[in-house]
Amino acid sequence: MFPVFCPFLAPFKGSVARSTNFWCMTIFCLCNTTHRSHSNSDSTGLLYAEAMSLPTIWVFGDQLNRGIGALATATPLTHRVLFIESAAKISSQKWHIQRAHFIVASMRKFALELRSAGFQVDYRMVKSMGQGINEHVREFAPSEIVATEPNSYASRLLAHDLGVRTVSSNQFLCHPSEYQGFLGARKSIKMEDFYRWQRKRLNVLMDDSEPTGGRWNFDEENRQPPPKTGHDRWPEPELYELDEVDEQVLDAMHSHCFGKLPVGQWATTRIGALERLQFFIKQVLPVFGEHEDAMLKSNWHLAHSLLSPYLNNGLLLPGEVVEAAQSAFREGKVPLNSTEGFIRQIIGWREYIWNCYWQWMPDYAHMNALSADVDLSPMFTDPSKTSMACMKSVLSGVNERAYSHHIERLMVLGNFALIAGINPQQLTRWMWNSYIDAAEWVMVPNVIGMSQYADGGMLATKPYASGGAYIDRMSDHCKGCVYDRKKRTGDDACPFTVLYWDFFLRHQERFVKNPRVARQVRAAQQLQDRDELQVVAVSMMKKLNKGAL
């Protein structure tokens, strides 16, 4: 839901275009009215009046699928469809150009697909969602406006305030109402328990009442460090050629965004997303599992699916993705460890995060249990502002393609922000603006809970803090870095190592009581160079804030 600041008529040939003076925008109304032959003008007028009073389905930019919610039973004869691009959304802050392009181009192309299927589509580019609704009502006087439950807390409040009726969403495999059945009278919840409940409930990788292969997970097989050779063993992701709609979106938005322009990495249609799914299932999933947590500076994708953007904006649905993976396993084309590891991400972690968001919002987004108040470092917006090899590599990748895989997010970017004490809300906003697959329901629980422990342990039972040793074991970043991951003091001491120990010293009263990290706290307390380490940590933080670390 982003604005366009100049008229683009080419992709909407045959539509009715009304020029406005607002920020040099053109508002489009795609009205594909079905015409029929009639015996007299009265019947023609009656049918026109009926067409004008059709109920309207308002489709949000992350619900782009004919099978989702309100659209699932709609036909061109029963409903009109409304899309709204909001100028307020894009003007509120800077977004990565690939993220902005992905959202807007996907919306426009889906609108065109619906129009080609015979739907009357009203596509509006206006200052705000409210303005779009009001103008639509004035022009078409729909019998009602209905929307599928929006995927953010704020959007649901907006829909309610605008008098829009909402229907239940099937965009996820576990609706929050179903999640309440899982919670029951549990005093504590764990993702692993939810994942097993999902496996049983959905009958995924199950042999009667037992997990296929006799095990619920294959984490041990799926957490190998990167291979020493063969860093190009994983298939290179396919690209698509940008079309006229893509170019028009980019022309309109590039001045309001940051990051490198897209090269066709991220599909913007349902057909393109399905092609990406098939590519992953056939060529990548068979080798997915083993190095799931590895990081390589020379290979940004490894065997990751790269499907999260399409799941998060509706071009793909989780059920079809899980079924494709399970079918490939049943046909003997994919090993069990790869299949289970991938499916765990979809029906386990993704659905768990989705439901935690709805369980704890809206207060959850503002939590800061560790009182982290350091401003986001300049390196996050300019990777040249750091000499840390791992941070520079990951941040450069985000700038280049609006993406880094989950371990880089958690154990490099998130880990560093945690031990440096960076404000969790600032980190959440940066990730929301920067990542191709970002959504509030994704970023808030993952950053506030999993990554930054800002919720005090509601989501994760321990802070995901680690020093340079972990990064050295799971990546090739440390070799050749100006910092020595084994050193805690000195000019070349590794910032991850120094700040890791400093983190547990700063928060020792809290975490010495946590059985999962109490040993690390006691080890920090017993360091012989503890005082010197803390002096080095203070010096590092000054460099960090200046963009000189």
Side-chain angles (χ1 to χ4, degrees), residues 153 357 359-368 425 444 448 454-455 458:
Y153 187 86
Y357 172 85
Q359 181 185 2
W360 296 327
M361 283 292 283
D363 294 341
Y364 192 78
H366 306 289
M367 296 187 76
N368 189 358
Q425 282 70 40
V444 168
I448 299 298
D455 63 358
M458 294 169 62

PDB file of all heavy atoms in Angstrom, residues 153 357 359-368 425 444 448 454-455 458:
ATOM      1  N   TYR A 153      -2.718  -5.362  13.402  1.00  0.00           N
ATOM      2  CA  TYR A 153      -3.611  -4.840  14.448  1.00  0.00           C
ATOM      3  C   TYR A 153      -4.189  -3.491  14.034  1.00  0.00           C
ATOM      4  O   TYR A 153      -5.397  -3.257  14.148  1.00  0.00           O
ATOM      5  CB  TYR A 153      -2.829  -4.720  15.753  1.00  0.00           C
ATOM      6  CG  TYR A 153      -3.664  -4.354  16.948  1.00  0.00           C
ATOM      7  CD1 TYR A 153      -4.325  -5.336  17.685  1.00  0.00           C
ATOM      8  CD2 TYR A 153      -3.790  -3.027  17.352  1.00  0.00           C
ATOM      9  CE1 TYR A 153      -5.099  -5.004  18.790  1.00  0.00           C
ATOM     10  CE2 TYR A 153      -4.570  -2.685  18.451  1.00  0.00           C
ATOM     11  CZ  TYR A 153      -5.220  -3.677  19.167  1.00  0.00           C
ATOM     12  OH  TYR A 153      -5.989  -3.341  20.253  1.00  0.00           O
ATOM     13  N   TYR A 357       1.663 -12.921  17.923  1.00  0.00           N
ATOM     14  CA  TYR A 357       1.375 -11.516  17.609  1.00  0.00           C
ATOM     15  C   TYR A 357      -0.035 -11.144  18.059  1.00  0.00           C
ATOM     16  O   TYR A 357      -0.249 -10.140  18.746  1.00  0.00           O
ATOM     17  CB  TYR A 357       1.552 -11.292  16.106  1.00  0.00           C
ATOM     18  CG  TYR A 357       1.103  -9.937  15.611  1.00  0.00           C
ATOM     19  CD1 TYR A 357       1.947  -8.838  15.671  1.00  0.00           C
ATOM     20  CD2 TYR A 357      -0.172  -9.752  15.071  1.00  0.00           C
ATOM     21  CE1 TYR A 357       1.548  -7.587  15.216  1.00  0.00           C
ATOM     22  CE2 TYR A 357      -0.589  -8.517  14.607  1.00  0.00           C
ATOM     23  CZ  TYR A 357       0.274  -7.433  14.679  1.00  0.00           C
ATOM     24  OH  TYR A 357      -0.136  -6.202  14.230  1.00  0.00           O
ATOM     25  N   GLN A 359      -1.962 -12.741  20.143  1.00  0.00           N
ATOM     26  CA  GLN A 359      -2.171 -12.991  21.564  1.00  0.00           C
ATOM     27  C   GLN A 359      -1.707 -11.818  22.421  1.00  0.00           C
ATOM     28  O   GLN A 359      -2.326 -11.499  23.439  1.00  0.00           O
ATOM     29  CB  GLN A 359      -1.412 -14.258  21.973  1.00  0.00           C
ATOM     30  CG  GLN A 359      -1.574 -14.637  23.431  1.00  0.00           C
ATOM     31  CD  GLN A 359      -0.720 -15.829  23.813  1.00  0.00           C
ATOM     32  OE1 GLN A 359       0.036 -16.372  23.004  1.00  0.00           O
ATOM     33  NE2 GLN A 359      -0.835 -16.265  25.056  1.00  0.00           N
ATOM     34  N   TRP A 360      -0.639 -11.135  21.981  1.00  0.00           N
ATOM     35  CA  TRP A 360       0.015 -10.148  22.855  1.00  0.00           C
ATOM     36  C   TRP A 360      -0.098  -8.684  22.406  1.00  0.00           C
ATOM     37  O   TRP A 360       0.239  -7.792  23.171  1.00  0.00           O
ATOM     38  CB  TRP A 360       1.491 -10.511  23.012  1.00  0.00           C
ATOM     39  CG  TRP A 360       1.702 -11.808  23.708  1.00  0.00           C
ATOM     40  CD1 TRP A 360       0.934 -12.356  24.686  1.00  0.00           C
ATOM     41  CD2 TRP A 360       2.768 -12.739  23.471  1.00  0.00           C
ATOM     42  NE1 TRP A 360       1.457 -13.568  25.093  1.00  0.00           N
ATOM     43  CE2 TRP A 360       2.591 -13.832  24.355  1.00  0.00           C
ATOM     44  CE3 TRP A 360       3.874 -12.758  22.615  1.00  0.00           C
ATOM     45  CZ2 TRP A 360       3.449 -14.915  24.410  1.00  0.00           C
ATOM     46  CZ3 TRP A 360       4.742 -13.837  22.654  1.00  0.00           C
ATOM     47  CH2 TRP A 360       4.530 -14.909  23.539  1.00  0.00           C
ATOM     48  N   MET A 361      -0.502  -8.443  21.182  1.00  0.00           N
ATOM     49  CA  MET A 361      -0.626  -7.057  20.725  1.00  0.00           C
ATOM     50  C   MET A 361      -1.826  -6.372  21.398  1.00  0.00           C
ATOM     51  O   MET A 361      -2.758  -7.039  21.823  1.00  0.00           O
ATOM     52  CB  MET A 361      -0.785  -7.038  19.214  1.00  0.00           C
ATOM     53  CG  MET A 361       0.501  -7.269  18.465  1.00  0.00           C
ATOM     54  SD  MET A 361       1.681  -5.913  18.647  1.00  0.00           S
ATOM     55  CE  MET A 361       0.987  -4.686  17.532  1.00  0.00           C
ATOM     56  N   PRO A 362      -1.798  -5.016  21.495  1.00  0.00           N
ATOM     57  CA  PRO A 362      -0.821  -4.088  20.914  1.00  0.00           C
ATOM     58  C   PRO A 362       0.351  -3.708  21.828  1.00  0.00           C
ATOM     59  O   PRO A 362       1.335  -3.161  21.375  1.00  0.00           O
ATOM     60  CB  PRO A 362      -1.674  -2.848  20.630  1.00  0.00           C
ATOM     61  CG  PRO A 362      -2.676  -2.862  21.757  1.00  0.00           C
ATOM     62  CD  PRO A 362      -2.987  -4.310  22.016  1.00  0.00           C
ATOM     63  N   ASP A 363       0.236  -3.981  23.131  1.00  0.00           N
ATOM     64  CA  ASP A 363       1.285  -3.539  24.061  1.00  0.00           C
ATOM     65  C   ASP A 363       2.637  -4.184  23.766  1.00  0.00           C
ATOM     66  O   ASP A 363       3.692  -3.598  24.040  1.00  0.00           O
ATOM     67  CB  ASP A 363       0.865  -3.851  25.500  1.00  0.00           C
ATOM     68  CG  ASP A 363      -0.346  -3.047  25.950  1.00  0.00           C
ATOM     69  OD1 ASP A 363      -0.636  -2.017  25.311  1.00  0.00           O
ATOM     70  OD2 ASP A 363      -1.014  -3.449  26.914  1.00  0.00           O
ATOM     71  N   TYR A 364       2.593  -5.372  23.202  1.00  0.00           N
ATOM     72  CA  TYR A 364       3.821  -6.143  22.971  1.00  0.00           C
ATOM     73  C   TYR A 364       4.836  -5.370  22.127  1.00  0.00           C
ATOM     74  O   TYR A 364       6.046  -5.444  22.368  1.00  0.00           O
ATOM     75  CB  TYR A 364       3.458  -7.453  22.282  1.00  0.00           C
ATOM     76  CG  TYR A 364       4.582  -8.467  22.231  1.00  0.00           C
ATOM     77  CD1 TYR A 364       4.919  -9.227  23.349  1.00  0.00           C
ATOM     78  CD2 TYR A 364       5.296  -8.685  21.056  1.00  0.00           C
ATOM     79  CE1 TYR A 364       5.935 -10.159  23.308  1.00  0.00           C
ATOM     80  CE2 TYR A 364       6.314  -9.622  21.015  1.00  0.00           C
ATOM     81  CZ  TYR A 364       6.632 -10.359  22.137  1.00  0.00           C
ATOM     82  OH  TYR A 364       7.642 -11.278  22.085  1.00  0.00           O
ATOM     83  N   ALA A 365       4.373  -4.627  21.155  1.00  0.00           N
ATOM     84  CA  ALA A 365       5.275  -3.926  20.237  1.00  0.00           C
ATOM     85  C   ALA A 365       6.115  -2.878  20.948  1.00  0.00           C
ATOM     86  O   ALA A 365       7.167  -2.466  20.428  1.00  0.00           O
ATOM     87  CB  ALA A 365       4.479  -3.271  19.111  1.00  0.00           C
ATOM     88  N   HIS A 366       5.702  -2.431  22.114  1.00  0.00           N
ATOM     89  CA  HIS A 366       6.385  -1.348  22.810  1.00  0.00           C
ATOM     90  C   HIS A 366       7.251  -1.838  23.974  1.00  0.00           C
ATOM     91  O   HIS A 366       7.821  -1.014  24.700  1.00  0.00           O
ATOM     92  CB  HIS A 366       5.349  -0.347  23.326  1.00  0.00           C
ATOM     93  CG  HIS A 366       4.426   0.157  22.259  1.00  0.00           C
ATOM     94  ND1 HIS A 366       4.836   1.015  21.260  1.00  0.00           N
ATOM     95  CD2 HIS A 366       3.117  -0.124  22.011  1.00  0.00           C
ATOM     96  CE1 HIS A 366       3.813   1.260  20.451  1.00  0.00           C
ATOM     97  NE2 HIS A 366       2.769   0.592  20.887  1.00  0.00           N
ATOM     98  N   MET A 367       7.380  -3.133  24.130  1.00  0.00           N
ATOM     99  CA  MET A 367       8.117  -3.662  25.273  1.00  0.00           C
ATOM    100  C   MET A 367       9.622  -3.466  25.108  1.00  0.00           C
ATOM    101  O   MET A 367      10.155  -3.512  24.000  1.00  0.00           O
ATOM    102  CB  MET A 367       7.788  -5.144  25.468  1.00  0.00           C
ATOM    103  CG  MET A 367       6.331  -5.409  25.815  1.00  0.00           C
ATOM    104  SD  MET A 367       5.983  -7.139  26.235  1.00  0.00           S
ATOM    105  CE  MET A 367       6.676  -7.196  27.890  1.00  0.00           C
ATOM    106  N   ASN A 368      10.279  -3.259  26.238  1.00  0.00           N
ATOM    107  CA  ASN A 368      11.731  -3.055  26.251  1.00  0.00           C
ATOM    108  C   ASN A 368      12.257  -3.461  27.623  1.00  0.00           C
ATOM    109  O   ASN A 368      12.736  -2.641  28.410  1.00  0.00           O
ATOM    110  CB  ASN A 368      12.072  -1.585  25.945  1.00  0.00           C
ATOM    111  CG  ASN A 368      13.554  -1.358  25.739  1.00  0.00           C
ATOM    112  OD1 ASN A 368      14.373  -2.274  25.850  1.00  0.00           O
ATOM    113  ND2 ASN A 368      13.926  -0.130  25.453  1.00  0.00           N
ATOM    114  N   GLN A 425      12.670  -1.091  19.372  1.00  0.00           N
ATOM    115  CA  GLN A 425      11.691  -0.496  18.464  1.00  0.00           C
ATOM    116  C   GLN A 425      12.370   0.084  17.225  1.00  0.00           C
ATOM    117  O   GLN A 425      11.839  -0.019  16.106  1.00  0.00           O
ATOM    118  CB  GLN A 425      10.880   0.580  19.181  1.00  0.00           C
ATOM    119  CG  GLN A 425       9.780   0.027  20.081  1.00  0.00           C
ATOM    120  CD  GLN A 425      10.295  -0.676  21.329  1.00  0.00           C
ATOM    121  OE1 GLN A 425      11.254  -0.199  21.948  1.00  0.00           O
ATOM    122  NE2 GLN A 425       9.682  -1.787  21.703  1.00  0.00           N
ATOM    123  N   VAL A 444       7.527  -7.825  14.681  1.00  0.00           N
ATOM    124  CA  VAL A 444       7.368  -7.509  16.105  1.00  0.00           C
ATOM    125  C   VAL A 444       7.699  -8.708  16.998  1.00  0.00           C
ATOM    126  O   VAL A 444       8.554  -8.602  17.888  1.00  0.00           O
ATOM    127  CB  VAL A 444       5.962  -6.947  16.389  1.00  0.00           C
ATOM    128  CG1 VAL A 444       5.698  -6.905  17.895  1.00  0.00           C
ATOM    129  CG2 VAL A 444       5.831  -5.550  15.804  1.00  0.00           C
ATOM    130  N   ILE A 448      11.140  -8.216  18.956  1.00  0.00           N
ATOM    131  CA  ILE A 448      10.874  -7.930  20.361  1.00  0.00           C
ATOM    132  C   ILE A 448      11.079  -9.176  21.220  1.00  0.00           C
ATOM    133  O   ILE A 448      11.643  -9.103  22.321  1.00  0.00           O
ATOM    134  CB  ILE A 448       9.439  -7.392  20.548  1.00  0.00           C
ATOM    135  CG1 ILE A 448       9.246  -6.088  19.759  1.00  0.00           C
ATOM    136  CG2 ILE A 448       9.126  -7.190  22.023  1.00  0.00           C
ATOM    137  CD1 ILE A 448      10.152  -4.960  20.192  1.00  0.00           C
ATOM    138  N   ALA A 454      13.230  -8.404  24.443  1.00  0.00           N
ATOM    139  CA  ALA A 454      12.621  -7.186  24.982  1.00  0.00           C
ATOM    140  C   ALA A 454      11.310  -7.469  25.690  1.00  0.00           C
ATOM    141  O   ALA A 454      10.780  -6.607  26.391  1.00  0.00           O
ATOM    142  CB  ALA A 454      12.395  -6.178  23.851  1.00  0.00           C
ATOM    143  N   ASP A 455      10.785  -8.682  25.516  1.00  0.00           N
ATOM    144  CA  ASP A 455       9.557  -9.064  26.208  1.00  0.00           C
ATOM    145  C   ASP A 455       9.840  -9.743  27.542  1.00  0.00           C
ATOM    146  O   ASP A 455       8.928 -10.205  28.224  1.00  0.00           O
ATOM    147  CB  ASP A 455       8.703  -9.976  25.324  1.00  0.00           C
ATOM    148  CG  ASP A 455       9.394 -11.296  24.990  1.00  0.00           C
ATOM    149  OD1 ASP A 455      10.566 -11.494  25.417  1.00  0.00           O
ATOM    150  OD2 ASP A 455       8.788 -12.138  24.305  1.00  0.00           O
ATOM    151  N   MET A 458       8.825 -13.798  27.326  1.00  0.00           N
ATOM    152  CA  MET A 458       7.505 -14.317  26.972  1.00  0.00           C
ATOM    153  C   MET A 458       7.582 -15.284  25.790  1.00  0.00           C
ATOM    154  O   MET A 458       6.864 -16.284  25.744  1.00  0.00           O
ATOM    155  CB  MET A 458       6.567 -13.159  26.629  1.00  0.00           C
ATOM    156  CG  MET A 458       6.251 -12.261  27.803  1.00  0.00           C
ATOM    157  SD  MET A 458       5.406 -10.718  27.333  1.00  0.00           S
ATOM    158  CE  MET A 458       3.883 -11.342  26.608  1.00  0.00           C
TER     159      MET A 458
END
